[in-house]
Amino acid sequence: MGPARLLRMYESPRTAHTHLLTPAELAEIRALLDHAFDGDFAEEDWEHTLGGVHALVRDPDGLLVGHGSVVMRRARHRGRSYRVGYVEGVAVHSGHRRRGIGGGLMEALEQIVERAYVFGALSASPEGAGLYMSRGWRLWPGRLEALGPDGAVPFPDEEDTTYLWGTVPGSGEPGALAFDWRDGDVF
């Protein structure tokens, strides 16, 4: 049975802004993320997941089995600042993986990025990179920086984990892609 057929066993992804989610739904999302990341989902990671549009997938019994969100970030490239849809908190419950849920979540999130942002970005673990690349996300080929409180901070260790959806204007020209600063993991 292919992933598209398996996904049909689940609800289509529901999208909702953080402010439309109930406290119970937010608690479900947080519990799923803690489970999916084996307890390695810090409070800062949770904070980064909030404030944007969430995609949620439930199984036929109503259990939340998949989540991802798109939040707005700013990125500077070649002297211009861009509105970026940054994907956060993508997770599928361990008992429901390899059934097309991740692809369904990403399709919903990609539509949000395409309609509301100049381009999309995310930081992928080695385990997650295959999903993103199979959907057309491309590894950013240049330098990465963050605009910290004291100026630009290079992040060379993130240069092989940051993927983009869509086209960064001027991306064929050299120069760093510099994201806004945030506490915890910047990328």
Side-chain angles (χ1 to χ4, degrees):
M1 193 177 315
R5 182 157 166 74
L6 284 169
L7 181 58
R8 280 183 255 171
M9 296 172 31
Y10 297 88
E11 289 183 3
S12 294
R14 170 184 158 231
T15 57
H17 192 277
T18 301
H19 84 279
L20 295 174
L21 298 172
T22 67
E25 288 173 311
L26 290 170
E28 280 183 292
I29 294 167
R30 180 60 197 256
L32 172 64
L33 293 169
D34 285 337
H35 167 81
F37 289 97
D38 296 322
D40 190 24
F41 199 78
E43 191 61 32
E44 290 93 355
D45 299 325
W46 174 240
E47 182 68 26
H48 298 166
T49 302
L50 302 174
V53 179
H54 301 258
L56 309 168
V57 173
R58 294 184 180 280
D59 73 4
D61 296 324
L63 176 70
L64 181 66
V65 296
H67 171 270
S69 66
V70 176
V71 298
M72 191 186 97
R73 293 190 68 183
R74 300 297 293 190
R76 187 182 71 195
H77 181 65
R78 309 259 329 135
R80 298 240 6 238
S81 178
Y82 299 97
R83 191 179 63 257
V84 178
Y86 204 86
V87 174
E88 292 284 0
V90 176
V92 175
H93 188 283
S94 62
H96 297 266
R97 292 181 182 151
R98 307 278 183 247
R99 299 180 186 184
I101 297 168
L105 288 167
M106 289 308 298
E107 183 176 348
L109 298 175
E110 290 158 1
Q111 288 177 11
I112 295 163
V113 168
E114 288 174 359
R115 293 179 183 157
Y117 299 98
V118 177
F119 62 93
L122 59 80
S123 181
S125 67
E127 299 81 15
L131 168 65
Y132 307 123
M133 289 188 301
S134 74
R135 298 197 52 78
W137 288 76
R138 297 168 329 282
L139 189 63
W140 169 250
R143 293 188 334 270
L144 282 174
E145 297 177 347
L147 301 175
D150 298 320
V153 178
F155 277 85
D157 292 346
E158 297 295 334
E159 290 171 4
D160 62 349
T161 66
T162 300
Y163 292 80
L164 303 181
W165 180 262
T167 303
V168 178
S171 60
E173 305 169 25
L177 184 59
F179 283 85
D180 53 342
W181 188 263
R182 61 187 188 176
D183 292 334
D185 291 331
V186 175
F187 292 93

